[in-house]
Amino acid sequence: MPQVQSESSSESAVQPLLQQFQLLFYISKIAGILPQDLEKFRTKNVLEKSRNGMVYMLAMLIVYVLLYNVLIYSFGEEDRTLKASQSTLTFVIGLFLTYIGLIMMGTDQLTALRNQGRIGELYERIRQVDERLYREKCVVDNSRIGGRIRFMLIMTFLFELSILLATYIKLVDYTQWMSVLWIVSAIPTFINTLDKIWFAVSLYALKERFEAINQTLEELVATHEKFKRWLCGDQETSSRALDSSQPPEYDSNLEYLYKELGSLDMGSLKGSGRNKVAPVSHSMNSFGESIEASDKATHQAPPISVNMAHESELSNASKVEEKLNNLCQVHDEICEIGKAMNELWSYPILSLMAYGFLIFTAQLYFLYCATQFQSIPSLFRSAKNPFITVIALSYTSGKCVYLIYLSWKTSLASKRTGISLHKCGVVADDNLLFEIVNHLSLKLLNHSVDFSACGFFTLDMETLYGVSGGITSYLIILIQFNLAAQQAKEAIQTFNSLNDTASLVGAATEVDNVSSTLYDLVTTTMLTPTG
């Protein structure tokens, strides 16, 4: 019965994680990203399947695809003349990258549709983990997650509106009514960002739980160190009290007593152990202690007993074993949740990384083309303005870099638990606790979590370094190909102009020859006498 009451109290004390996702859920539901039931989330804060939500999501996906194709057709007049005016490389890159945003958006929505049941189970497992941590006196504060979500949403709207409005005002002919369709160009990136906010915030929640476990272990270590320092200080105090070789401290209030007992003055007792007054019968209490010691004890605070000090759980290995086992089991459960989360968002993460790599490279390449007064695809006209280019690249790269960085930090937090656990064994200096720590460390070693994009590459800082180098290399290659294409084009134009000039010269020479032939014929005919 007490166990049931403790479980019910923990359920009431633990705040559900999904309660912080309300604003994000409503925006995602309107945008058609999540197919889960709206009423169940509003009343119970759970994600459950919904047939109506699935139909609405598919309808929104079809509408987005149709509007995007209408946008491409409406602004494709420049693209139809791009192949004739520029190299085939620029045309092919523009044609492929025009639809990569749509592919990324479709991947996000179809993946959310496929995993609509598993996402709800994922957050339910996180709620159970929070309850288990609460029973171990390890409380996770979810209130910061709500503020983080609001900050991400504000930054998303700022970036999207900045890019959209700046491009529309500066680079789009807004005098035509078809220019209103330019709003559709922001839909794929907006949908993708909302989906990645779900992943990023959930990943941050896992990192917070890893860090809560690590902090609990560090607090065990710190408490035991304080306990050891207190024991050492108490032993030193006791040894000083029992050491009779040290001179007694002089009390000015008992100066008359010193004079009567030993005929000593004030200076004879300061800083010296000579002429020490030996305790006599009437200077001892009934416990055999000197009157000076008991009088001093009445003026000072009584020594703190062991029961009054901050007791350390690590001082009792059999008692702390259950706590360490429970924390390691919760750690394993969080690692399994992280693996499941990585599996749910593996394809969207892969599409985002591919999109970020290609768009970053292409945007810089088209910026170079714009500086050379070359035509670029219509949907990449933001590259004509360096300021808009910087905003767009910051927005795209910020999403990729933040997800990589957060995945890396979460993985490090999960692996740091083993270090914190070993600190408990080192500071306790107990053979039984060492065996417990070694056994649990093997479990932690077999349950590490790493995040990847469908297994192609791991989301860590090494991958970020490799992507940066790849962008630089491919950008240089594209510029070299562009230079070669422009030089070949100029050579062909020069050759054609020379051919045209040569043909004109040849035609003029032929006309002159015909004229001279006619002149000779007429002259010969006129000078010939008639018979």
Side-chain angles (χ1 to χ4, degrees):
M1 187 69 180
Q3 184 178 1
V4 176
Q5 291 179 355
S6 63
E7 290 180 358
S8 60
S9 63
S10 65
E11 290 179 1
S12 59
V14 173
Q15 185 183 20
L17 179 62
L18 282 176
Q19 189 174 350
Q20 306 296 329
F21 284 76
Q22 291 184 358
L23 179 61
L24 180 60
F25 178 84
Y26 295 143
I27 296 176
S28 302
K29 189 67 178 178
I30 295 173
I33 301 175
L34 296 178
Q36 279 78 12
D37 189 87
L38 178 62
E39 186 64 24
K40 292 292 182 62
F41 182 84
R42 188 179 63 85
T43 56
K44 300 180 180 180
N45 287 322
V46 293
L47 296 177
E48 294 185 1
K49 293 182 179 180
S50 172
R51 185 180 299 274
N52 295 332
M54 182 178 62
V55 172
Y56 175 78
M57 183 176 177
L58 289 175
M60 293 300 295
L61 177 60
I62 295 173
V63 170
Y64 290 153
V65 172
L66 292 177
L67 290 176
Y68 199 81
N69 282 278
V70 172
L71 170 70
I72 295 174
Y73 180 80
S74 302
F75 289 86
E77 186 64 31
E78 300 176 8
D79 297 338
R80 284 186 275 272
T81 60
L82 180 63
K83 186 176 181 180
S85 60
Q86 296 297 326
S87 63
T88 306
L89 177 65
T90 303
F91 175 76
V92 172
I93 292 175
L95 181 64
F96 175 73
L97 295 182
T98 297
Y99 283 96
I100 191 172
L102 195 64
I103 295 173
M104 178 183 64
M105 182 190 70
T107 303
D108 295 337
Q109 291 184 290
L110 293 177
T111 303
L113 190 63
R114 181 175 66 93
N115 298 325
Q116 58 175 320
R118 299 175 61 186
I119 293 178
E121 297 175 358
L122 188 73
Y123 289 102
E124 176 62 23
R125 293 172 65 181
I126 294 177
R127 187 189 63 81
Q128 295 175 1
V129 164
D130 290 345
E131 294 177 359
R132 295 173 63 181
L133 288 175
Y134 181 79
R135 288 195 291 269
E136 299 300 328
K137 300 179 181 179
C138 182
V139 182
V140 181
D141 186 13
N142 291 326
S143 59
R144 292 183 296 178
I145 292 181
R148 184 174 289 265
I149 291 176
R150 288 188 291 271
F151 175 76
M152 289 183 178
L153 289 174
I154 291 173
M155 294 302 296
T156 299
F157 281 105
L158 285 178
F159 273 108
E160 291 286 355
L161 290 176
S162 299
I163 297 172
L164 180 65
L165 294 178
T167 307
Y168 184 78
I169 294 173
K170 288 184 172 295
L171 304 174
V172 177
D173 185 10
Y174 50 85
T175 58
Q176 300 179 359
W177 69 271
M178 292 292 290
S179 62
V180 180
L181 289 173
W182 187 255
I183 301 175
V184 182
S185 64
I187 291 179
T189 54
F190 179 71
I191 296 293
N192 175 260
T193 304
L194 290 180
D195 180 74
K196 296 309 172 291
I197 290 177
W198 278 91
F199 176 74
V201 175
S202 303
L203 190 60
Y204 177 79
L206 294 188
K207 184 176 78 71
E208 287 286 298
R209 279 141 185 82
F210 281 129
E211 291 179 350
I213 295 176
N214 298 337
Q215 184 179 359
T216 301
L217 296 176
E218 295 288 346
E219 288 177 355
L220 289 177
V221 174
T223 304
H224 192 73
E225 288 178 346
K226 291 180 181 179
F227 180 74
K228 290 172 66 176
R229 286 196 298 268
W230 178 86
L231 287 179
C232 294
D234 183 66
Q235 292 175 0
E236 292 176 359
T237 304
S238 301
S239 63
R240 286 196 301 267
L242 297 175
D243 190 1
S244 60
S245 62
Q246 298 295 329
E249 296 182 4
Y250 179 80
D251 192 349
S252 60
N253 296 325
L254 301 177
E255 183 179 354
Y256 71 96
L257 185 60
Y258 287 119
K259 291 181 179 181
E260 288 185 356
L261 293 176
S263 300
L264 301 175
D265 56 0
M266 185 185 300
S268 62
L269 286 176
K270 289 183 178 180
S272 175
R274 295 177 300 172
N275 301 324
K276 182 170 59 176
V277 179
V280 292
S281 59
H282 61 272
S283 65
M284 305 286 288
N285 58 17
S286 59
F287 297 98
E289 299 176 347
S290 63
I291 298 176
E292 297 175 6
S294 62
D295 181 74
K296 181 180 177 180
T298 56
H299 286 83
Q300 294 180 354
I304 303 176
S305 63
V306 176
N307 294 329
M308 294 175 63
H310 296 284
E311 294 186 1
S312 172
E313 296 183 64
L314 295 179
S315 59
N316 189 345
S318 59
K319 180 180 179 182
V320 79
E321 181 180 4
E322 182 181 359
K323 184 180 184 67
L324 295 180
N325 274 322
N326 292 337
L327 290 178
C328 289
Q329 290 175 3
V330 174
H331 182 277
D332 295 343
E333 178 64 18
I334 299 174
C335 289
E336 294 299 324
I337 294 175
K339 294 177 182 178
M341 185 182 300
N342 186 24
E343 183 180 356
L344 292 180
W345 270 280
S346 57
Y347 290 106
I349 291 176
L350 180 62
S351 64
L352 173 63
M353 296 303 164
Y355 173 83
F357 176 79
L358 295 175
I359 290 298
F360 202 97
T361 307
Q363 191 80 8
L364 292 177
Y365 172 69
F366 291 140
L367 177 62
Y368 165 78
C369 294
T371 57
Q372 301 299 315
F373 304 101
Q374 300 175 14
S375 300
I376 60 177
S378 59
L379 293 185
F380 290 90
R381 63 183 63 197
S382 59
K384 296 179 180 179
N385 189 298
F387 178 73
I388 302 177
T389 300
V390 170
I391 298 177
L393 293 182
S394 301
Y395 180 47
T396 303
S397 62
K399 292 188 292 185
C400 299
V401 172
Y402 180 70
L403 289 182
I404 291 176
Y405 175 77
L406 192 58
S407 301
W408 175 64
K409 294 294 290 185
T410 304
S411 180
L412 289 183
S414 67
K415 295 174 182 177
R416 196 168 67 88
T417 306
I419 300 175
S420 301
L421 187 61
H422 271 283
K423 287 182 180 179
C424 295
V426 171
V427 74
D429 196 15
D430 183 83
N431 292 330
L432 179 59
L433 190 59
F434 265 123
E435 293 180 1
I436 297 172
V437 167
N438 289 332
H439 176 69
L440 296 177
S441 297
L442 291 176
K443 291 184 177 181
L444 294 179
L445 183 63
N446 295 325
H447 289 84
S448 61
V449 57
D450 291 307
F451 299 92
S452 64
C454 294
F456 287 100
F457 51 86
T458 306
L459 300 179
D460 53 15
M461 304 309 288
E462 184 178 354
T463 300
L464 183 60
Y465 175 78
V467 170
S468 303
I471 290 174
T472 305
S473 301
Y474 281 103
L475 181 61
I476 294 174
I477 293 173
L478 289 174
I479 293 175
Q480 289 176 344
F481 272 107
N482 183 272
L483 289 173
Q486 295 302 319
Q487 291 174 359
K489 194 176 201 180
E490 291 176 359
I492 293 174
Q493 291 176 354
T494 303
F495 180 76
N496 291 334
S497 63
L498 291 176
N499 286 338
D500 294 339
T501 304
S503 61
L504 290 176
V505 171
T509 304
E510 185 178 356
V511 170
D512 291 341
N513 293 334
V514 172
S515 300
S516 60
T517 302
L518 290 175
Y519 177 78
D520 294 340
L521 180 61
V522 171
T523 305
T524 305
T525 304
M526 293 179 63
L527 294 177
T528 301
T530 58

